[in-house]
């Protein structure tokens, strides 16, 4: 079938709106008509070749839509179901077997390398392969092939055009708080970086009952939004004495939990520096593969502090995404406050606005078929 897609053909270049051919779903695959898809910083990283994602490629990994066709063996969803497409995983490695699919041993190739496991792509143009299957979906397109493992059925009562960011950015931030760090009532939490991931973490901190929630960023408008969404304090990241001031408002000893969403080593060092004894810092941001981190070992060991990486918020998407939807519908997780909508043909403007911090979470919407 013919589909409309935004194709990345060169680093830093605008995506090209093109007509491509899409294969029918194979066994275990699902054809989804996109209603909307979120734009994530990781899409920009792949476009600009900071990760070895081959081009030409259709990016996009926060898709939401309606099932149009299922391949043989699919039982999880049926034609007409509303779905969100999340990260892909193999289903049979040691991590997947233990319910930790975000640490799948095959995570990188199944999400970033642009092909199915057998090296094929469902996308082509004039007989030439176009790379797809990014995060098992490539949702910068009117239609997408996804897999039974990375599709999540969602209730029809929820606004489908809003739900795509739950697949990655929102579940990463919220899951880090609720699943990974298990923030408890009365705990303190510092979040470094208030993009969609950091603001989702702040909203989850409110859900968890944290009483001191500290937002740290250079962007003053983002800090104002963080306060509106439940942060108790906000600090400009490069202001004098910011580490000491964070520790002070958290009771003097530091915070119970810290999260870095920037992937920048100097910021991670700050996040570790504000930890109280036995505190844990989680790293959520995508760092340059060559970057390293220097830590004071005595600071870490002598007070039982911890530093850990967190992927996709340790989420089990089939359970966690519907849980976030229930929180949203109950008025307790207003992630719609992060969103700015664009039409599909405005996708390059949406990406540019995201890159320059003009919006928090852009979502592109696809035309409704006649």
């Amino acid at each position: 079938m013919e589909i409309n897609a935004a194709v990345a053909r060169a680093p830093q270049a605008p995506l090209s709106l093109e007509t491509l051919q899409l294969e029918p779903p194979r066994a275990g695959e699902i054809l989804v008509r996109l209603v909307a898809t979120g734009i994530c910083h990781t899409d920009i990283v792949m476009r600009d070749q900071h990760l070895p994602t081959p081009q030409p490629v259709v990016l996009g990994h926060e898709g939401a839509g309606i099932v149009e066709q299922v391949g043989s063996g699919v039982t999880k969803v049926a034609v007409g179901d509303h779905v969100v497409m999340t990260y892909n995983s193999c289903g049979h490695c040691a991590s997947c077997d233990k319910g930790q699919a975000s640490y799948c041993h095959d995570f990188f190739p199944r999400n970033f390398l642009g092909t199915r496991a057998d090296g094929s792509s469902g996308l082509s143009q004039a007989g030439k392969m176009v790379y797809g299957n990014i995060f098992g979906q490539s949702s910068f397109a009117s239609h997408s092939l996804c897999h039974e493992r990375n599709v999540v059925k969602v209730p029809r009562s929820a606004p489908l055009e809003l739900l795509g960011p739950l697949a990655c950015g929102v579940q990463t931030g919220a899951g880090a708080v609720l699943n990974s760090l298990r923030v408890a009532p009365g705990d303190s939490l510092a979040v470094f970086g208030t993009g969609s991931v950091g603001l989702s973490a702040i909203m989850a901190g409110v859900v968890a009952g944290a009483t001191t929630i500290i937002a740290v960023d250079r962007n003053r408008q983002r800090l104002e939004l963080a306060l509106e969404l439940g942060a108790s304090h906000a600090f400009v990241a490069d202001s004098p004495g910011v580490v000491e001031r964070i520790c002070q408002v958290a009771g003097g000893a530091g915070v119970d939990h810290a999260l870095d969403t920037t992937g920048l080593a100097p910021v991670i060092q700050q996040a570790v520096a504000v930890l109280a004894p036995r505190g844990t810092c989680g790293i959520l941001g995508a760092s340059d593969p060559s970057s390293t981190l220097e830590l004071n070992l005595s600071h870490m060991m002598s007070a039982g502090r911890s530093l850990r990486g967190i992927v996709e918020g340790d989420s089990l998407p089939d359970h966690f995404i519907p849980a976030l939807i229930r929180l949203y519908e109950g008025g307790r997780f207003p992630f719609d406050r992060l969103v700015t909508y664009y039409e599909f043909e405005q996708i390059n403007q949406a990406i540019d606005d995201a890159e320059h911090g003009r919006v928090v979470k852009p979502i592109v919407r696809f035309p409704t078929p006649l």
Side-chain angles (χ1 to χ4, degrees):
M1 65 181 293
E2 288 191 344
I3 68 167
N4 298 318
V7 184
R9 291 190 173 273
Q12 286 86 44
L15 304 184
S16 175
L17 300 182
E18 303 178 19
T19 299
L20 302 180
Q21 285 71 48
L22 181 66
E23 295 178 1
R26 295 181 179 181
E29 292 184 340
I30 299 154
L31 175 66
V32 175
R33 175 178 63 80
L34 270 296
V35 169
T37 188
I39 293 171
C40 176
H41 177 68
T42 304
D43 293 309
I44 299 169
V45 168
M46 287 187 281
R47 179 201 66 181
D48 293 345
Q49 298 289 275
H50 299 306
L51 291 169
T53 302
Q55 295 181 344
V57 63
V58 177
L59 303 171
H61 63 280
E62 292 184 340
I66 299 171
V67 175
E68 286 202 339
Q69 189 177 351
V70 298
S72 63
V74 171
T75 59
K76 188 178 183 181
V77 294
V79 172
D81 283 344
H82 289 199
V83 296
V84 166
M85 293 176 284
T86 186
Y87 65 88
N88 200 13
S89 57
C90 75
H92 52 72
C93 68
S95 292
C96 288
D97 283 346
K98 294 176 181 177
Q100 295 290 326
S102 63
Y103 303 101
C104 173
H105 294 193
D106 209 24
F107 189 91
F108 194 88
R110 287 181 182 267
N111 290 281
F112 293 102
L113 293 189
T115 67
R116 299 179 174 107
D118 65 3
S120 67
S121 170
L123 294 170
S124 63
Q125 186 180 63
K128 295 182 179 180
M129 186 173 87
V130 175
Y131 291 96
N133 201 48
I134 296 299
F135 277 67
Q137 57 185 280
S138 285
S139 53
F140 285 175
S142 60
H143 293 76
S144 176
L145 286 178
C146 66
H147 308 268
E148 193 163 31
R149 281 195 61 77
N150 75 310
V151 68
V152 178
K153 185 178 177 179
V154 296
R156 291 174 181 265
S157 61
L160 192 53
E161 66 176 14
L162 174 65
L163 303 184
L166 296 177
C168 185
V170 173
Q171 85 170 346
T172 294
V177 169
L178 299 174
N179 303 327
S180 310
L181 299 182
R182 297 186 181 275
V183 174
D187 282 356
S188 54
L189 168 69
V191 178
F192 289 76
T194 53
S196 62
V197 175
L199 291 169
S200 297
I202 287 167
M203 290 186 288
V206 175
V207 170
T211 50
T212 303
I213 303 174
I214 303 162
V216 187
D217 204 306
R218 291 180 177 178
N219 187 316
R220 293 177 183 272
Q221 288 183 317
R222 297 274 180 92
L223 292 177
E224 291 174 6
L225 179 57
L227 291 169
E228 293 174 14
L229 293 174
S232 58
H233 303 78
F235 292 103
V236 177
D238 50 5
S239 58
V242 66
V243 169
E244 291 76 14
R245 292 161 66 199
I246 291 171
C247 291
Q248 185 178 32
V249 301
V255 298
D256 301 306
H257 313 279
L259 286 173
D260 169 72
T261 70
T262 72
L264 301 173
V267 181
I268 297 170
Q269 288 174 323
Q270 280 190 323
V272 170
V274 303
L275 289 176
R278 298 183 297 108
T280 299
C281 174
I283 304 173
L284 307 185
S287 299
D288 185 295
S290 65
S291 62
T292 59
L293 181 66
E294 184 175 313
L295 296 174
N296 184 295
L297 297 181
S298 178
H299 175 77
M300 298 299 294
M301 184 277 293
S302 63
R305 297 179 176 95
S306 303
L307 176 67
R308 62 155 298 190
I310 299 171
V311 178
E312 297 288 351
D314 288 352
S315 168
L316 292 175
D318 285 323
H319 300 283
F320 193 57
I321 288 175
L324 292 177
I325 292 171
R326 290 193 294 273
L327 286 169
Y328 166 74
E329 291 182 326
R332 300 180 60 200
F333 191 75
F335 75 101
D336 58 317
R337 295 282 309 277
L338 313 182
V339 167
T340 302
Y341 287 108
Y342 299 78
E343 300 311 309
F344 179 55
E345 59 268 22
Q346 299 173 303
I347 189 168
N348 286 306
Q349 184 63 57
I351 291 171
D352 189 70
D353 287 348
E355 284 188 279
H356 291 90
R358 301 184 196 104
V359 299
V360 178
K361 171 57 70 173
I363 293 179
V364 294
R365 297 182 290 201
F366 295 85
T368 302
L370 297 177

